[in-house]
Amino acid sequence: MTTKKNWPLWEVFVRSKNGLEHRHFGSLHAADEEMALENARDVYTRRNEGVSIWVVESKHITASNPENYGELFEPAQDKVYRHPTFYDLPDEVKHM
Amino acid sequence: MSEEQIKNLETQFEARIARDEKIEPKDWMPEKYRKTHIRQMSQHAHSEIIGMLPEGNWITRAPSLRRKVALLAKVQDEAGHGLYLYSACETLGISRNELYDQLHTGKAKYSSIFNYPTVTWADMGAIGWLVDGAAIINQVPLCNTSYGPYARAMVRVCKEESFHQRQGYEIMIKLANGTPEQKEMAQDALNRWWWPSLMMLGPTDDKSVHTEQSMKWKLKRKSNDDLRQQFIDQTVPQADLIGLTIPDPDLKWNEETGHYDFGEINWDEFWQVVKGHGPMNKERMKARVGAWERGEWVRDAAVAYADKKQNRKEKQAV
């Protein structure tokens, strides 16, 4: 019952309106990029959800591993001096 | 990993869920969590796909263009919902083909409600009103479930599904206010779909084997009996409003509890249908497997065409 070759998996990104970025909406299977776009239109934008679609074959995405969370993201946690609230200002200064 | 290490990870995992953190595909998860989610999500996806069949039966015979475009859109949504859910399920490391295989070989289940026939147009009304009504009650809490991809798929599903119930109820209103024959047709559909809709919310709490674990993982937020009561309480006034009678002589408002009391559900029938002996089980599987097999050459041709285009591109590049 299986086909000789399976349709690959694609990730779908949709821009909901101009001025906003494309956002990940979900994924789907399609034989090629053209079909992936057509299917994305039918599966993810039946109610005016978008004005532009990107599709990319899932295998081309490189993702970070949750196991490396510590070394990747924890160093940023103790760098409060990267935020404006770290700095003391006299009350008289209104806009800065 | 040693048993102790796994135990440790499991404790951390349960704590994350208790804190309402979401679990994402690449996070560590207990094998049982993965399996339970594959089972429930795929069952849900299969139900959407098989659920297109009873309604597809009436698309060509819808009584007006208005009804036809609505029914078409509803069935198309169901295909979409099936696809969202299959993709979400695949993030747990099972392939689409394995999922289809489980459906086609009967290894995986789908909602048993779809094993009842749709014999009149009023059934389109009853399905939208009751079956989608019960489905919404089941699904809304899942928008907050612990597994990220499932929760996100459910948000989309729930957003789209509210029109399904309204279009069904509108069909019932029209029929109930029509000729005596039309009203009788609506009543007959309610008579046939009422009890299976109550069964759709699952076995009673004392017979439900997965409830406790599923509650912990937020795969479930209310018990089957609570959901059923909620469905009955909200649906009875809707039937009253359009002059239809719920086919339950024991149905009665209970001033004390603030809920409707209702009659005994025929669970033997439920289990018969689950086991494959419902009126339409064979027909549904035949239609589904047949469509899949007849579509094989199309899927293969699409792959051959994609390969050909790719080869041509590569040759031009040389």
Side-chain angles (χ1 to χ4, degrees):
Chain A
M1 257 190 320
T2 46
T3 36
K4 285 163 228 154
K5 200 175 135 195
N6 296 332
W7 289 359
L9 190 66
W10 301 74
E11 300 302 321
V12 178
F13 300 81
V14 176
R15 184 203 295 289
S16 49
K17 62 177 193 184
N18 276 3
L20 296 179
E21 66 277 70
H22 286 76
R23 196 165 60 81
H24 185 238
F25 261 47
S27 47
L28 49 77
H29 289 270
D32 58 30
E33 63 272 18
E34 236 174 278
M35 188 196 276
L37 265 182
E38 283 163 11
N39 288 0
R41 170 199 174 263
D42 288 343
V43 177
Y44 291 104
T45 63
R46 289 193 301 283
R47 289 177 174 80
N48 294 317
E49 287 92 338
V51 294
S52 162
I53 302 173
W54 289 346
V55 291
V56 57
E57 219 183 309
S58 309
K59 68 175 184 196
H60 295 309
I61 292 184
T62 309
S64 65
N65 190 331
E67 276 172 35
N68 302 333
Y69 174 85
E71 63 204 72
L72 287 176
F73 305 112
E74 272 169 15
Q77 284 171 9
D78 58 4
K79 295 182 176 54
V80 280
Y81 48 85
R82 283 180 178 158
H83 298 278
T85 45
F86 178 73
Y87 299 91
D88 297 325
L89 287 185
D91 289 345
E92 289 76 14
V93 179
K94 291 292 178 217
H95 304 288
M96 186 182 282
Chain B
M1 250 187 293
S2 74
E3 238 172 77
E4 200 186 335
Q5 277 172 310
I6 292 181
K7 196 104 198 103
N8 226 335
L9 284 170
E10 274 176 11
T11 314
Q12 284 174 28
F13 180 84
E14 302 292 347
R16 286 183 67 192
I17 293 184
R19 285 196 300 270
D20 256 336
E21 275 181 40
K22 299 289 176 197
I23 306 303
E24 293 295 343
K26 294 181 95 187
D27 293 345
W28 183 88
M29 60 185 80
E31 194 48 25
K32 198 166 163 226
Y33 181 90
R34 199 179 75 87
K35 286 221 171 98
T36 303
H37 276 76
I38 290 179
R39 197 192 66 237
Q40 177 165 334
M41 290 160 76
S42 67
Q43 207 166 306
H44 195 160
H46 299 329
S47 301
E48 297 282 357
I49 298 303
I50 299 294
M52 292 192 282
L53 298 170
E55 293 178 307
N57 180 34
W58 280 93
I59 291 173
T60 57
R61 291 174 288 162
S64 69
L65 188 56
R66 180 186 151 93
R67 295 283 181 233
K68 188 173 187 162
V69 291
L71 187 59
L72 255 176
K74 179 175 192 284
V75 172
Q76 197 189 7
D77 273 352
E78 277 147 15
H81 297 173
L83 293 175
Y84 306 157
L85 289 161
Y86 279 131
S87 318
C89 198
E90 284 173 82
T91 61
L92 289 165
I94 185 164
S95 74
R96 182 73 58 96
N97 273 357
E98 283 174 272
L99 292 168
Y100 283 159
D101 246 21
Q102 291 179 350
L103 172 65
H104 297 160
T105 57
K107 198 181 155 219
K109 299 265 181 271
Y110 53 88
S111 181
S112 57
I113 192 95
F114 302 119
N115 291 318
Y116 291 88
T118 44
V119 293
T120 73
W121 170 251
D123 290 359
M124 295 305 99
I127 286 182
W129 175 33
L130 303 173
V131 176
D132 286 273
I136 290 169
I137 284 188
N138 239 334
Q139 289 169 357
V140 166
L142 289 173
C143 296
N144 280 312
T145 189
S146 63
Y147 189 55
Y150 193 24
R152 291 192 285 275
M154 289 316 300
V155 169
R156 306 181 65 81
V157 169
C158 289
K159 222 189 262 173
E160 297 182 355
E161 206 132 276
S162 59
F163 112 72
H164 296 184
Q165 195 187 13
R166 286 183 181 206
Q167 70 90 35
Y169 191 56
E170 197 191 85
I171 290 172
M172 293 305 259
I173 297 173
K174 257 293 198 282
L175 290 172
N177 290 306
T179 64
E181 289 81 4
Q182 286 171 325
K183 184 165 184 183
E184 199 185 309
M185 203 197 258
Q187 181 64 52
D188 166 66
L190 172 57
N191 292 350
R192 282 181 291 109
W193 291 94
W194 176 252
W195 292 103
S197 300
L198 296 191
M199 294 175 201
M200 213 184 130
L201 293 152
T204 51
D205 293 349
D206 52 328
K207 297 264 166 28
S208 173
V209 283
H210 305 298
T211 296
E212 204 194 322
Q213 182 67 78
S214 296
M215 287 269 193
K216 218 157 105 197
W217 288 336
K218 299 176 180 173
L219 247 183
K220 230 188 172 136
R221 309 220 108 167
K222 283 183 180 173
S223 77
N224 294 350
D225 287 337
D226 287 348
L227 293 169
R228 193 164 13 249
Q229 189 67 56
Q230 184 187 341
F231 174 71
I232 293 169
D233 290 347
Q234 96 178 28
T235 310
V236 174
Q238 294 166 357
D240 292 345
L241 192 66
I242 56 176
L244 297 179
T245 311
I246 303 282
D248 178 358
D250 297 322
L251 188 81
K252 202 170 76 227
W253 177 251
N254 185 328
E255 204 61 66
E256 233 167 84
T257 59
H259 295 292
Y260 283 92
D261 293 334
F262 55 97
E264 193 74 33
I265 294 172
N266 181 356
W267 290 110
D268 286 343
E269 175 185 322
F270 175 75
W271 291 114
Q272 281 300 313
V273 181
V274 169
K275 283 179 191 139
H277 309 301
M280 298 297 277
N281 294 58
K282 286 211 179 79
E283 177 63 32
R284 298 290 181 242
M285 286 313 283
K286 203 177 118 202
R288 170 62 200 159
V289 174
W292 178 249
E293 285 174 350
R294 285 193 305 276
E296 186 173 356
W297 73 270
V298 180
R299 294 191 297 277
D300 289 344
V303 170
Y305 179 63
D307 285 347
K308 192 172 94 178
K309 272 198 306 186
Q310 186 62 30
N311 286 340
R312 198 177 293 156
K313 226 195 268 171
E314 274 161 23
K315 249 186 224 148
Q316 275 171 356
V318 171

